Amino acid sequence: MKCVQTRPSAWRSIALFVLTASTASVHAGSNDGHAPHPLHGIGTGAAVRAPQADTIFLDGFEWPNAGTTGAPRGLALTNQSAPMNTGLVIAVDNTVVDAINLSGWIDVQANNVVIQNSIITSNNWWGIKYESGYTGLKVVRNTITSVAGLGPDNGGYDYGVSPLGNGSMEVAYNDISGFKDAVDVATGNVHDNYMHDLSQFTGAHTQDVYVWCGGSGVTLLHNTMLNQTAQVYSTAALYVAPDCGSQNNVTVQNNWLAGGSLVLYGGGSTATDIRVLDNAFSTAIWSPDGGFNGTVGYWSGGNSGNVWSGNFWGDGPNVGQPVTP
């Protein structure tokens, strides 16, 4: 069925930037303040991976999946481990963490850190913890997952990428699974990620992306957010939190969303400038509404700057039809 929304031609295919490196290591300050060129995957040396069995297509357009995200295949990785209690601490500005296979987690205590092309298997609360007071974090083309039951909470509240403050960050082209939340964000750009297979445990309230109040703007662009957790554990695919103060300046565009109690929480009664545009909602986990209690909640369409436009059913009995809050 023909969909009514239009998409920029640049999004018709997804390319991979593969960094060719003779060494794989942590480089403290080695980029001289300039991040490498990973962020939109287009340039010399780009390659395209074959689609995987779980590829999501609609009208020939591909959303992020196991074949288009995560640490590049075939890149030699250096094995590293980090203490459970402290993790791999990055405390020097402009550090580049490149092409490592880390058993443990990363604690970012510096500005303009780049973490790229790596596999992070966490044994703690976080895959990547981003401390308050720092800015400029880039997390690009990593596979970030956890070991079930490890960490001081024995499988309790855990996060793939979690900022403790409002520092800017970019999280892009990652494959994130095995955490209660895949990504928490208050300020920054989260795009082209595959977030799936969240962890399940007593007391969990799971979501692929948790948008906190108090930041200076969030963009969620072209991600796959799948929350498959059982009803007793599940909150949302996308939780623009309605219970942390006033939400402002959040753009949610061109994502594939499925699962949760509600698929999307819209920020609450005081939220402003929340833009939800051209997203595909899926019934693959809960039918017919996408979430077991419905599709959208806590949306205040009459508030200043709030826009709901072009959102549609990506599959199910109403495929191609508009989704309205």
Side-chain angles (χ1 to χ4, degrees):
M1 180 176 290
K2 182 68 176 175
C3 295
V4 296
Q5 81 283 1
T6 59
R7 307 182 182 98
S9 59
W11 292 352
R12 292 291 176 177
S13 62
I14 299 173
L16 289 178
F17 177 82
V18 179
L19 182 67
T20 56
S22 58
T23 60
S25 58
V26 178
H27 306 286
S30 62
N31 66 338
D32 295 323
H34 299 285
H37 177 292
L39 298 182
H40 292 286
I42 299 172
T44 58
V48 178
R49 290 179 183 160
Q52 302 298 295
D54 58 355
T55 297
I56 301 169
F57 285 101
L58 185 67
D59 284 352
F61 181 64
E62 185 177 1
W63 272 268
N65 59 82
T68 61
T69 59
R73 297 174 186 172
L75 183 66
L77 303 179
T78 297
N79 292 328
Q80 294 194 17
S81 61
M84 179 181 293
N85 292 333
T86 60
L88 176 62
V89 178
I90 307 300
V92 177
D93 288 355
N94 304 316
T95 293
V96 177
V97 179
D98 179 35
I100 65 172
N101 183 6
L102 177 67
S103 177
W105 54 287
I106 297 177
D107 187 359
V108 177
Q109 303 177 17
N111 298 303
N112 303 318
V113 170
V114 178
I115 302 169
Q116 64 182 14
N117 302 324
S118 296
I119 297 174
I120 300 166
T121 304
S122 176
N123 57 4
N124 207 318
W125 287 330
W126 304 277
I128 298 171
K129 181 174 69 166
Y130 182 25
E131 300 280 2
S132 180
Y134 300 99
T135 192
L137 175 66
K138 297 184 185 296
V139 180
V140 183
R141 294 208 182 283
N142 304 284
T143 300
I144 306 172
T145 190
S146 66
V147 178
L150 292 185
D153 57 344
N154 295 311
Y157 276 38
D158 45 22
Y159 316 87
V161 180
S162 182
L164 301 186
N166 296 327
S168 67
M169 68 179 189
E170 182 158 13
V171 180
Y173 298 99
N174 301 285
D175 183 330
I176 307 175
S177 63
F179 298 93
K180 182 190 82 71
D181 298 355
V183 176
D184 286 10
V185 60
T187 301
N189 186 0
V190 179
H191 65 89
D192 297 284
N193 300 282
Y194 177 43
M195 294 171 276
H196 60 103
D197 293 299
L198 303 178
S199 59
Q200 298 188 148
F201 50 86
T202 301
H205 299 277
T206 61
Q207 47 267 309
D208 294 281
V209 175
Y210 194 128
V211 179
W212 288 96
C213 306
S216 58
V218 171
T219 298
L220 305 173
L221 177 65
H222 193 235
N223 301 281
T224 297
M225 306 182 207
L226 307 178
N227 186 345
Q228 88 303 337
T229 57
Q231 184 170 340
V232 66
Y233 309 116
S234 188
T235 299
L238 171 57
Y239 189 71
V240 183
D243 53 356
C244 62
S246 295
Q247 290 279 8
N248 178 260
N249 192 17
V250 178
T251 298
V252 182
Q253 186 168 14
N254 210 259
N255 301 279
W256 182 278
L257 305 164
S261 171
L262 301 171
V263 183
L264 185 149
Y265 284 65
S269 62
T270 61
T272 55
D273 292 304
I274 312 297
R275 296 165 291 275
V276 184
L277 311 170
D278 304 320
N279 298 282
F281 288 75
S282 170
T283 63
I285 297 172
W286 296 101
S287 184
D289 298 320
F292 61 82
N293 280 326
T295 310
V296 180
Y298 297 88
W299 172 254
S300 299
N303 289 6
S304 175
N306 287 358
V307 178
W308 183 281
S309 177
N311 302 293
F312 63 99
W313 287 108
D315 57 17
N318 298 313
V319 62
Q321 297 300 308
V323 172
T324 56

